Amino acid sequence: MADFIDRAILIGIGLEKKAKQMMDELAALGSRESGEGAEAEEELSARQRIENKVVDEGVAALREIISVLREGKEKLDREVVEKAELLLERLHVATTEELDVVKEMARTAREKVDKLERRVKKLEEKLKEKKDKDKEK
């Protein structure tokens, strides 16, 4: 499932990049052919004016396609995150906050264990000393 989603996102990103590239090429072509100002417009033949109009319309269509692709990608991203969160909740996977609490509890427990080990060691040493004194008597 995740592989399918990754591919869909990559395809969407690839389409967006390709559409932007085509839009830039069409815009460059249109600006080259249209020349500058009204003087250039008068010098253009009817065919060139039609071609310029087609290029302008193509650029507008590609911009709209890019907008739709971007919205689709954002919607897909949101839905993937929502579904993943729902799945993790259903599987009872711990959240980051819960893991932080458990880490703190483990740290506190480790400190207590270390303290108790030192205390036991001191008590064992005292007991050994007492046994040694008892043997000497």
Side-chain angles (χ1 to χ4, degrees):
M1 173 83 171
D3 186 43
F4 173 75
I5 293 170
D6 288 342
R7 286 184 184 174
I9 290 171
L10 289 175
I11 289 171
I13 291 171
L15 287 174
E16 181 181 0
K17 286 180 183 178
K18 187 64 176 175
K20 281 183 182 180
Q21 182 183 16
M22 289 174 59
M23 184 175 62
D24 292 341
E25 289 174 4
L26 285 173
L29 179 64
S31 66
R32 268 197 326 256
E33 290 183 0
S34 67
E36 294 183 19
E39 296 171 4
E41 186 68 26
E42 292 174 7
E43 295 175 8
L44 294 177
S45 68
R47 180 178 178 186
Q48 288 173 329
R49 284 193 296 268
I50 291 172
E51 287 174 354
N52 286 347
K53 186 174 182 175
V54 168
V55 168
D56 291 340
E57 289 174 2
V59 168
L62 284 174
R63 284 192 176 133
E64 187 175 331
I65 289 170
I66 288 172
S67 173
V68 169
L69 287 174
R70 188 174 292 125
E71 289 172 10
K73 179 185 174 293
E74 290 169 0
K75 181 179 178 183
L76 180 63
D77 287 345
R78 282 191 307 272
E79 287 183 17
V80 167
V81 168
E82 288 173 6
K83 296 300 180 184
E85 288 173 351
L86 181 63
L87 177 63
L88 292 174
E89 185 179 321
R90 284 184 182 169
L91 293 174
H92 303 290
V93 174
T95 64
T96 304
E97 293 83 16
E98 292 169 335
L99 289 176
D100 289 342
V101 169
V102 170
K103 285 179 185 177
E104 183 61 26
M105 290 171 59
R107 186 190 60 76
T108 303
R110 186 75 219 146
E111 288 174 357
K112 288 181 180 180
V113 167
D114 290 344
K115 185 177 178 181
L116 287 172
E117 285 176 345
R118 287 191 299 272
R119 186 172 175 199
V120 166
K121 186 175 180 179
K122 285 181 184 179
L123 290 172
E124 287 175 343
E125 288 173 359
K126 284 183 183 180
L127 183 62
K128 184 178 178 182
E129 287 175 8
K130 187 175 181 182
K131 283 184 181 181
D132 289 343
K133 285 184 184 179
D134 289 343
K135 284 185 183 180
E136 290 176 6
K137 289 183 181 180

